[in-house]
mmCIF file of all heavy atoms in Angstrom:
data_model
loop_
_atom_site.group_PDB
_atom_site.id
_atom_site.type_symbol
_atom_site.label_atom_id
_atom_site.label_comp_id
_atom_site.label_asym_id
_atom_site.label_seq_id
_atom_site.Cartn_x
_atom_site.Cartn_y
_atom_site.Cartn_z
ATOM 1 N N THR A 1 41.871 254.221 228.741
ATOM 2 C CA THR A 1 41.881 253.087 229.596
ATOM 3 C C THR A 1 41.105 251.937 229.010
ATOM 4 O O THR A 1 40.023 252.161 228.378
ATOM 5 C CB THR A 1 41.420 253.426 230.963
ATOM 6 O OG1 THR A 1 42.354 254.416 231.554
ATOM 7 C CG2 THR A 1 41.352 252.204 231.886
ATOM 8 N N ASP A 2 41.527 250.722 229.109
ATOM 9 C CA ASP A 2 40.962 249.566 228.467
ATOM 10 C C ASP A 2 39.970 248.788 229.372
ATOM 11 O O ASP A 2 39.177 248.027 228.939
ATOM 12 C CB ASP A 2 41.992 248.572 228.027
ATOM 13 C CG ASP A 2 42.946 249.181 227.033
ATOM 14 O OD1 ASP A 2 42.503 249.438 225.857
ATOM 15 O OD2 ASP A 2 44.131 249.422 227.319
ATOM 16 N N CYS A 3 40.064 249.051 230.701
ATOM 17 C CA CYS A 3 39.206 248.400 231.704
ATOM 18 C C CYS A 3 39.216 249.169 232.968
ATOM 19 O O CYS A 3 40.247 249.707 233.318
ATOM 20 C CB CYS A 3 39.684 246.928 231.909
ATOM 21 S SG CYS A 3 38.708 245.994 233.190
ATOM 22 N N ILE A 4 38.113 249.244 233.655
ATOM 23 C CA ILE A 4 38.071 249.871 234.969
ATOM 24 C C ILE A 4 37.935 248.749 236.020
ATOM 25 O O ILE A 4 36.986 247.949 236.035
ATOM 26 C CB ILE A 4 36.900 250.897 235.077
ATOM 27 C CG1 ILE A 4 37.161 252.070 234.107
ATOM 28 C CG2 ILE A 4 36.794 251.354 236.507
ATOM 29 C CD1 ILE A 4 36.066 253.014 234.079
ATOM 30 N N VAL A 5 38.829 248.774 237.048
ATOM 31 C CA VAL A 5 38.793 247.883 238.133
ATOM 32 C C VAL A 5 38.402 248.646 239.395
ATOM 33 O O VAL A 5 39.143 249.515 239.806
ATOM 34 C CB VAL A 5 40.132 247.147 238.317
ATOM 35 C CG1 VAL A 5 40.074 246.219 239.544
ATOM 36 C CG2 VAL A 5 40.546 246.405 237.057
ATOM 37 N N VAL A 6 37.195 248.424 239.883
ATOM 38 C CA VAL A 6 36.620 249.219 240.984
ATOM 39 C C VAL A 6 36.643 248.414 242.260
ATOM 40 O O VAL A 6 36.508 247.259 242.291
ATOM 41 C CB VAL A 6 35.222 249.688 240.611
ATOM 42 C CG1 VAL A 6 34.296 248.433 240.377
ATOM 43 C CG2 VAL A 6 34.579 250.540 241.706
ATOM 44 N N CYS A 7 36.921 249.114 243.315
ATOM 45 C CA CYS A 7 36.980 248.523 244.679
ATOM 46 C C CYS A 7 38.084 247.541 244.877
ATOM 47 O O CYS A 7 37.881 246.387 245.529
ATOM 48 C CB CYS A 7 35.608 247.919 245.061
ATOM 49 S SG CYS A 7 34.403 249.154 245.297
ATOM 50 N N GLY A 8 39.213 247.803 244.322
ATOM 51 C CA GLY A 8 40.432 247.068 244.649
ATOM 52 C C GLY A 8 41.199 247.678 245.756
ATOM 53 O O GLY A 8 40.639 248.458 246.540
ATOM 54 N N THR A 9 42.517 247.343 245.840
ATOM 55 C CA THR A 9 43.363 248.051 246.835
ATOM 56 C C THR A 9 43.347 249.510 246.784
ATOM 57 O O THR A 9 43.166 250.211 247.671
ATOM 58 C CB THR A 9 44.789 247.429 246.710
ATOM 59 O OG1 THR A 9 44.772 246.027 246.866
ATOM 60 C CG2 THR A 9 45.639 247.985 247.831
ATOM 61 N N SER A 10 43.512 250.005 245.542
ATOM 62 C CA SER A 10 43.575 251.406 245.324
ATOM 63 C C SER A 10 42.250 252.098 245.537
ATOM 64 O O SER A 10 42.131 253.312 245.832
ATOM 65 C CB SER A 10 43.931 251.709 243.819
ATOM 66 O OG SER A 10 45.242 251.175 243.596
ATOM 67 N N GLY A 11 41.175 251.301 245.517
ATOM 68 C CA GLY A 11 39.837 251.775 245.842
ATOM 69 C C GLY A 11 39.448 251.749 247.232
ATOM 70 O O GLY A 11 38.296 252.005 247.597
ATOM 71 N N GLU A 12 40.444 251.442 248.106
ATOM 72 C CA GLU A 12 40.242 251.362 249.558
ATOM 73 C C GLU A 12 39.009 250.461 249.923
ATOM 74 O O GLU A 12 38.346 250.784 250.869
ATOM 75 C CB GLU A 12 40.068 252.752 250.097
ATOM 76 C CG GLU A 12 41.325 253.644 249.968
ATOM 77 C CD GLU A 12 41.223 255.030 250.427
ATOM 78 O OE1 GLU A 12 41.136 255.268 251.626
ATOM 79 O OE2 GLU A 12 41.108 255.978 249.567
ATOM 80 N N ALA A 13 38.910 249.382 249.231
ATOM 81 C CA ALA A 13 37.721 248.491 249.588
ATOM 82 C C ALA A 13 37.675 248.028 250.994
ATOM 83 O O ALA A 13 36.653 247.816 251.577
ATOM 84 C CB ALA A 13 37.818 247.286 248.627
ATOM 85 N N SER A 14 38.904 247.865 251.552
ATOM 86 C CA SER A 14 38.984 247.354 252.920
ATOM 87 C C SER A 14 38.399 248.281 253.955
ATOM 88 O O SER A 14 38.153 247.920 255.128
ATOM 89 C CB SER A 14 40.407 247.019 253.341
ATOM 90 O OG SER A 14 41.250 248.167 253.194
ATOM 91 N N THR A 15 38.195 249.616 253.646
ATOM 92 C CA THR A 15 37.573 250.535 254.561
ATOM 93 C C THR A 15 36.139 250.897 254.122
ATOM 94 O O THR A 15 35.509 251.734 254.826
ATOM 95 C CB THR A 15 38.421 251.796 254.699
ATOM 96 O OG1 THR A 15 38.457 252.519 253.506
ATOM 97 C CG2 THR A 15 39.834 251.480 255.167
ATOM 98 N N LEU A 16 35.675 250.322 253.101
ATOM 99 C CA LEU A 16 34.265 250.538 252.726
ATOM 100 C C LEU A 16 33.308 249.611 253.442
ATOM 101 O O LEU A 16 33.666 248.423 253.658
ATOM 102 C CB LEU A 16 34.106 250.384 251.181
ATOM 103 C CG LEU A 16 34.968 251.216 250.290
ATOM 104 C CD1 LEU A 16 34.608 250.903 248.817
ATOM 105 C CD2 LEU A 16 34.692 252.704 250.483
ATOM 106 N N THR A 17 32.114 250.097 253.751
ATOM 107 C CA THR A 17 31.145 249.152 254.238
ATOM 108 C C THR A 17 30.626 248.273 253.072
ATOM 109 O O THR A 17 30.871 248.670 251.934
ATOM 110 C CB THR A 17 29.895 249.883 254.828
ATOM 111 O OG1 THR A 17 29.211 250.610 253.784
ATOM 112 C CG2 THR A 17 30.293 250.878 255.902
ATOM 113 N N GLU A 18 29.973 247.197 253.376
ATOM 114 C CA GLU A 18 29.491 246.375 252.237
ATOM 115 C C GLU A 18 28.513 247.185 251.392
ATOM 116 O O GLU A 18 28.544 247.011 250.148
ATOM 117 C CB GLU A 18 28.828 245.115 252.852
ATOM 118 C CG GLU A 18 29.827 244.081 253.344
ATOM 119 C CD GLU A 18 29.156 242.751 253.750
ATOM 120 O OE1 GLU A 18 27.911 242.668 253.709
ATOM 121 O OE2 GLU A 18 29.866 241.876 254.201
ATOM 122 N N GLU A 19 27.707 248.016 252.036
ATOM 123 C CA GLU A 19 26.771 248.812 251.259
ATOM 124 C C GLU A 19 27.499 249.811 250.379
ATOM 125 O O GLU A 19 27.131 249.916 249.126
ATOM 126 C CB GLU A 19 25.810 249.567 252.199
ATOM 127 C CG GLU A 19 24.903 248.703 253.024
ATOM 128 C CD GLU A 19 25.530 248.002 254.195
ATOM 129 O OE1 GLU A 19 26.672 248.398 254.591
ATOM 130 O OE2 GLU A 19 24.960 247.026 254.656
ATOM 131 N N GLU A 20 28.537 250.463 250.843
ATOM 132 C CA GLU A 20 29.307 251.386 250.080
ATOM 133 C C GLU A 20 30.000 250.659 248.919
ATOM 134 O O GLU A 20 30.070 251.097 247.800
ATOM 135 C CB GLU A 20 30.315 252.095 250.943
ATOM 136 C CG GLU A 20 29.760 253.126 251.859
ATOM 137 C CD GLU A 20 30.761 253.673 252.857
ATOM 138 O OE1 GLU A 20 31.708 252.929 253.120
ATOM 139 O OE2 GLU A 20 30.670 254.796 253.242
ATOM 140 N N HIS A 21 30.576 249.545 249.224
ATOM 141 C CA HIS A 21 31.319 248.680 248.341
ATOM 142 C C HIS A 21 30.466 248.348 247.099
ATOM 143 O O HIS A 21 30.829 248.525 245.940
ATOM 144 C CB HIS A 21 31.780 247.398 249.102
ATOM 145 C CG HIS A 21 32.760 246.578 248.351
ATOM 146 N ND1 HIS A 21 33.806 245.905 249.032
ATOM 147 C CD2 HIS A 21 32.961 246.233 247.069
ATOM 148 C CE1 HIS A 21 34.491 245.238 248.157
ATOM 149 N NE2 HIS A 21 34.008 245.456 246.970
ATOM 150 N N LEU A 22 29.264 247.807 247.419
ATOM 151 C CA LEU A 22 28.382 247.397 246.270
ATOM 152 C C LEU A 22 27.791 248.594 245.554
ATOM 153 O O LEU A 22 27.587 248.479 244.338
ATOM 154 C CB LEU A 22 27.292 246.499 246.856
ATOM 155 C CG LEU A 22 27.781 245.135 247.434
ATOM 156 C CD1 LEU A 22 26.686 244.452 248.141
ATOM 157 C CD2 LEU A 22 28.403 244.295 246.372
ATOM 158 N N GLU A 23 27.529 249.719 246.213
ATOM 159 C CA GLU A 23 27.053 250.905 245.578
ATOM 160 C C GLU A 23 28.113 251.421 244.591
ATOM 161 O O GLU A 23 27.797 251.827 243.526
ATOM 162 C CB GLU A 23 26.683 251.963 246.606
ATOM 163 C CG GLU A 23 26.083 253.262 245.950
ATOM 164 C CD GLU A 23 24.729 253.044 245.276
ATOM 165 O OE1 GLU A 23 24.049 252.028 245.509
ATOM 166 O OE2 GLU A 23 24.389 253.963 244.533
ATOM 167 N N ALA A 24 29.372 251.428 245.043
ATOM 168 C CA ALA A 24 30.478 251.880 244.170
ATOM 169 C C ALA A 24 30.489 251.086 242.907
ATOM 170 O O ALA A 24 30.702 251.568 241.790
ATOM 171 C CB ALA A 24 31.804 251.878 244.901
ATOM 172 N N ILE A 25 30.453 249.769 243.066
ATOM 173 C CA ILE A 25 30.434 248.855 241.877
ATOM 174 C C ILE A 25 29.314 249.165 240.932
ATOM 175 O O ILE A 25 29.433 249.257 239.760
ATOM 176 C CB ILE A 25 30.426 247.363 242.399
ATOM 177 C CG1 ILE A 25 31.731 246.989 243.079
ATOM 178 C CG2 ILE A 25 30.213 246.427 241.297
ATOM 179 C CD1 ILE A 25 31.713 245.724 243.834
ATOM 180 N N ALA A 26 28.112 249.357 241.594
ATOM 181 C CA ALA A 26 26.912 249.547 240.780
ATOM 182 C C ALA A 26 27.018 250.826 240.006
ATOM 183 O O ALA A 26 26.631 250.961 238.796
ATOM 184 C CB ALA A 26 25.651 249.577 241.671
ATOM 185 N N VAL A 27 27.540 251.872 240.657
ATOM 186 C CA VAL A 27 27.638 253.222 240.021
ATOM 187 C C VAL A 27 28.609 253.156 238.805
ATOM 188 O O VAL A 27 28.342 253.675 237.774
ATOM 189 C CB VAL A 27 28.150 254.234 241.055
ATOM 190 C CG1 VAL A 27 28.665 255.538 240.389
ATOM 191 C CG2 VAL A 27 27.017 254.620 242.008
ATOM 192 N N VAL A 28 29.767 252.500 238.977
ATOM 193 C CA VAL A 28 30.770 252.406 237.875
ATOM 194 C C VAL A 28 30.182 251.630 236.754
ATOM 195 O O VAL A 28 30.281 251.971 235.580
ATOM 196 C CB VAL A 28 32.086 251.869 238.410
ATOM 197 C CG1 VAL A 28 32.969 251.582 237.254
ATOM 198 C CG2 VAL A 28 32.776 252.828 239.345
ATOM 199 N N ALA A 29 29.546 250.454 237.082
ATOM 200 C CA ALA A 29 28.957 249.622 236.032
ATOM 201 C C ALA A 29 27.858 250.380 235.274
ATOM 202 O O ALA A 29 27.778 250.280 234.016
ATOM 203 C CB ALA A 29 28.393 248.349 236.639
ATOM 204 N N GLU A 30 27.026 251.061 235.951
ATOM 205 C CA GLU A 30 25.970 251.821 235.311
ATOM 206 C C GLU A 30 26.550 252.952 234.455
ATOM 207 O O GLU A 30 26.112 253.179 233.290
ATOM 208 C CB GLU A 30 25.036 252.443 236.342
ATOM 209 C CG GLU A 30 23.903 253.323 235.803
ATOM 210 C CD GLU A 30 23.086 253.975 236.875
ATOM 211 O OE1 GLU A 30 23.632 254.719 237.682
ATOM 212 O OE2 GLU A 30 21.844 253.696 236.859
ATOM 213 N N GLN A 31 27.562 253.681 234.954
ATOM 214 C CA GLN A 31 28.141 254.738 234.172
ATOM 215 C C GLN A 31 28.830 254.241 232.965
ATOM 216 O O GLN A 31 28.751 254.888 231.831
ATOM 217 C CB GLN A 31 29.081 255.574 235.089
ATOM 218 C CG GLN A 31 29.594 256.832 234.472
ATOM 219 C CD GLN A 31 28.478 257.896 234.320
ATOM 220 O OE1 GLN A 31 27.559 257.907 235.112
ATOM 221 N NE2 GLN A 31 28.552 258.733 233.244
#
């Protein structure tokens, strides 16, 4: 894969809390 897109439609961003949303982004970026 050439790029990871986190918390889009497939990532169910619309049902994540803001805290979960930002934590998921942070986790993927860190990893």
